[in-house]
Amino acid sequence: MLGERGPRARVRANRAAVRTTLAAGASHGLVLGVRDPGLVGALVSVPPRGWPLPPPGLPLRLWAIAVQGLGAARRWAEAFDALAAHHPILPHWYLGTLGVDPTHQQRGLGGALLEAWLRHVDADRCGVWLETDRPENIAFYERAGFELAGEVPVFDVPVWLMSRPPAPAQGDTPAQRDVPA
Ligand SMILES: CC(C)(COP(=O)(O)OP(=O)(O)OC[C@H]1O[C@@H](n2cnc3c(N)ncnc32)[C@H](O)[C@@H]1OP(=O)(O)O)[C@@H](O)C(=O)NCCC(=O)NCCS
């Protein structure tokens, strides 16, 4: 996505992408964070009928394009379109970003963030949707009740689509859950 550039420029470009995602998520979505004692993990999500998030304000957008370059901005837009075509039609929560600082991974923080968010989401009885391009994340999400819903190549990188059925209403059996279309 970011093209050929050195590690420092990649970090700068990634920071710009995360900053725009956080700004849009904080204004129109739901953002959860975990501190230890500084911020070491975050989850950015979009509520039912909120996807796609409106873009952040023009100054932040122009700054992000200046940092990332026009090529990266064009590739982000192409990737967005490729994945947008598969989004569920029914109202659903969308998990946009989940990340834990590498020095704090494998300690249960990512799982705890996901669990806390799903408890909130389940109250809405909506399906949940996410995409991941890391095969090692599939089992992590399956443990939280997600199922594979497809695989889409984006610039030759496989991206796995995952869905989680709505929480059953009281008295329902698991078979009565609806999977988002
Ligand atoms: C995916 C991600 C958010 C998981 O965060 P995390 O804090 O490492 O998650 P957890 O610690 O809850 O779980 C990860 C693993 O640690 C294990 N684990 C949980 N608590 C543990 C503990 N106390 N001690 C050791 N291992 C533990 C879990 O069983 C899990 O095992 P797995 O590797 O078989 O899945 C993190 O790896 C990450 O930020 N990755 C880069 C960004 C990314 O890919 N985000 C997802 C985009 S869709």
Side-chain angles (χ1 to χ4, degrees):
M1 298 299 292
L2 299 176
E4 292 296 320
R5 58 181 89 192
R8 288 165 75 94
R10 286 176 66 83
V11 169
R12 263 202 311 276
N14 266 323
R15 280 211 178 114
V18 169
R19 209 164 144 189
T20 53
T21 304
L22 273 176
S27 317
H28 302 279
L30 175 68
V31 179
L32 302 184
V34 57
R35 294 185 187 280
D36 184 25
L39 189 67
V40 295
L43 181 155
V44 181
S45 67
V46 185
R49 297 193 177 84
W51 183 90
L53 285 174
L58 192 60
L60 184 54
R61 245 185 305 162
L62 290 177
W63 169 78
I65 291 174
V67 174
Q68 297 199 320
L70 271 178
R74 217 174 23 243
R75 284 190 291 276
W76 279 121
E78 272 181 57
F80 176 87
D81 288 345
L83 295 172
H86 299 273
H87 249 261
I89 296 160
L90 292 177
H92 60 282
W93 274 91
Y94 175 59
L95 176 55
T97 301
L98 170 62
V100 171
D101 187 294
T103 58
H104 288 73
Q105 289 177 8
Q106 303 285 322
R107 287 171 38 195
L109 297 182
L113 265 176
L114 186 62
E115 209 180 291
W117 179 66
L118 287 172
R119 269 201 304 275
H120 178 86
V121 161
D122 277 346
D124 278 348
R125 302 240 153 71
C126 279
V128 190
W129 188 255
L130 64 83
E131 297 114 2
T132 184
D133 61 359
R134 293 182 175 221
E136 64 270 28
N137 287 349
I138 293 173
F140 172 78
Y141 287 123
E142 280 177 340
R143 276 198 291 278
F146 285 85
E147 296 157 5
L148 272 178
E151 186 182 327
V152 180
V154 178
F155 301 114
D156 294 331
V157 173
V159 175
W160 290 277
L161 315 175
M162 301 193 77
S163 72
R164 184 174 182 273
Q170 252 184 347
D172 277 2
T173 63
Q176 286 170 293
R177 286 174 163 219
D178 289 330
V179 181

